[in-house]
Amino acid sequence: MSRYAGTRTLVVTLTALIAAPSASVLAQNDAPNPYRTVAGVWAPLPDGRSWGSTSAVAVSPDGETIWAIDRCGANNCDASHDEDIVFQFDKDGNILNSFGAGLIQWPHGIDVDAQGNVWVADARGGEGRGHQVLKFSPRGEVLMRLGTAGVAGRTRTTLDQPNDVLVAPDGNIFVADGHPANGNNRIVKYAPDGRYLMEWGETGAEAGQFRTPHALAMDSQGLLYVGDRSNRRIQVFTQDGDFVRDYLHLGRASGLAIDANDWLYVADSESNMGRNAGFKRGIRVMDIETATILSFIPDPEPDQDNSGTSAAEGVAVDNEGNVYGAEVGPRALRKHVAPASFSR
């Protein structure tokens, strides 16, 4: 039984999506918002340091702590070599740990595997850094690197602006590679030891093609969800790259997360800027079983048509159902508290 059965009147079936594909029909902007957003700075950084842009947030395997990245108080770490960029917080926003100084050029995506290791995608390159995915121990030791530092490419040993990383339950690693809409546009699969296994994808709008595969998530059946942002859809695949289905009613997916109930959380940070008419920015929550939009946490920016990215770009959910948004434009890590009825 879903935790929020009262939203069943908002069912959007896959059949309806196929029959009515226009953006104005598909836009889901008016679902309930049962979450309470914590006011002010929820997770302050140490020593009075201000948040820079943050595009990614993840929750530890036990659901108790939150990991996020910071772009060195700015929107990149080009000039910074001595500021930590990976932070761990408790649910009250207190810092528990930090590391990563000098190692990453443009921190972009994050995942925490079953052993608590932290994976970070570095989506730019320069000065011998970037175009890589780094695996850190929970204390910050570098355990693995995917890609070649500072070298952009599309080979088995190089990446070009990787957006996100996901570690499956069996330890296989998936990387969404290619930030520009005309970039690598592929998903690369590696073995747990970092050995290249396979890849799929190219630039385009057909099934299995991408324009900016910006975010990754995996459901309880082991299916891989890809936020195909510039194509304004989410594609779903088997772990061997076979296309399963897509969703067209969730906006421009910058960030994805899936909880234990198979609820899909989609951070849409770019819609309604001349690129996705009819959609408002915010975080949509969908029941995967029915494709029902259960909740919508709207972007607080009132003038969305004339402003840049303002809503969360990264999204995560803890074991109490609280939602965390990593915001590039406002430069903040935001917590949205779930109602008590969202029992786990």
Side-chain angles (χ1 to χ4, degrees):
M1 178 67 67
S2 178
R3 294 170 297 176
Y4 198 40
T7 59
R8 293 306 185 191
T9 56
L10 297 170
V11 170
V12 181
T13 65
L14 293 179
T15 301
L17 296 182
I18 294 170
S22 70
S24 61
V25 173
L26 298 179
Q28 295 293 303
N29 301 321
D30 299 315
N33 178 17
Y35 298 88
R36 176 182 59 83
T37 301
V38 176
V41 179
W42 173 71
L45 296 180
D47 303 322
R49 172 178 159 183
S50 297
W51 275 94
S53 295
T54 175
S55 62
V57 57
V59 173
S60 60
D62 62 5
E64 290 290 344
T65 67
I66 294 86
W67 291 87
I69 53 178
D70 174 65
R71 293 176 180 167
C72 302
N75 194 24
N76 61 66
C77 293
D78 292 350
S80 176
H81 294 270
D82 57 2
E83 292 182 315
D84 286 345
I85 57 92
V86 182
F87 293 90
Q88 183 186 26
F89 302 91
D90 64 21
K91 290 179 182 177
D92 293 323
N94 301 306
I95 289 181
L96 303 175
N97 191 19
S98 66
F99 52 77
L103 296 175
I104 296 177
Q105 186 82 3
W106 199 49
H108 195 276
I110 192 169
D111 191 34
V112 184
D113 67 25
Q115 288 72 46
N117 300 305
V118 181
W119 300 70
V120 178
D122 189 352
R124 288 183 185 166
E127 298 182 347
R129 299 182 293 175
H131 301 303
Q132 286 190 307
V133 170
L134 276 66
K135 174 186 179 181
F136 295 95
S137 74
R139 304 309 303 173
E141 176 188 4
V142 178
L143 303 177
M144 185 186 299
R145 296 174 183 263
L146 303 175
T148 304
V151 178
R154 184 183 175 126
T155 70
R156 294 187 174 195
T157 59
T158 58
L159 300 165
D160 189 349
Q161 300 184 48
N163 293 302
D164 202 9
V165 56
L166 180 143
V167 182
D170 64 1
N172 285 329
I173 308 152
F174 295 86
V175 175
D177 185 30
H179 194 274
N182 62 349
N184 276 354
N185 286 315
R186 64 175 178 168
I187 305 298
V188 189
K189 180 179 180 180
Y190 303 87
D193 62 1
R195 177 172 44 90
Y196 172 94
L197 294 177
M198 64 173 293
E199 65 183 76
W200 70 91
E202 61 185 1
T203 301
E206 300 299 320
Q209 297 178 330
F210 306 103
R211 288 192 175 95
T212 313
H214 203 270
L216 300 173
M218 187 167 285
D219 69 13
S220 64
Q221 304 303 308
L223 294 177
L224 183 69
Y225 290 62
V226 181
D228 187 10
R229 187 168 76 176
S230 294
N231 279 326
R232 298 170 293 181
R233 65 182 178 180
I234 295 169
Q235 296 194 69
V236 184
F237 301 91
T238 69
Q239 294 186 38
D240 292 323
D242 298 319
F243 176 81
V244 176
R245 59 179 175 267
D246 58 11
Y247 297 101
L248 306 176
H249 64 308
L250 297 166
R252 289 173 61 93
S254 290
L256 299 178
I258 297 176
D259 70 12
N261 294 303
D262 271 350
W263 286 13
L264 173 66
Y265 299 74
V266 181
D268 178 356
S269 64
E270 291 195 345
S271 282
N272 214 29
M273 296 191 294
R275 292 182 287 190
N276 201 18
F279 283 81
K280 292 182 180 179
R281 298 195 295 271
I283 298 172
R284 293 177 175 87
V285 185
M286 186 191 82
D287 185 340
I288 290 173
E289 182 180 359
T290 63
T292 307
I293 304 293
L294 303 176
S295 307
F296 179 51
I297 305 171
D299 181 353
E301 169 58 55
D303 188 15
Q304 294 191 15
D305 284 328
N306 297 307
S307 63
T309 296
S310 58
E313 181 162 312
V315 63
V317 57
D318 68 22
N319 58 359
E320 296 177 340
N322 303 309
V323 176
Y324 302 85
E327 300 181 344
V328 169
R331 298 187 175 186
L333 182 62
R334 200 84 60 188
K335 181 176 182 178
H336 308 283
V337 180
S341 60
F342 282 17
S343 59
R344 310 301 278 187

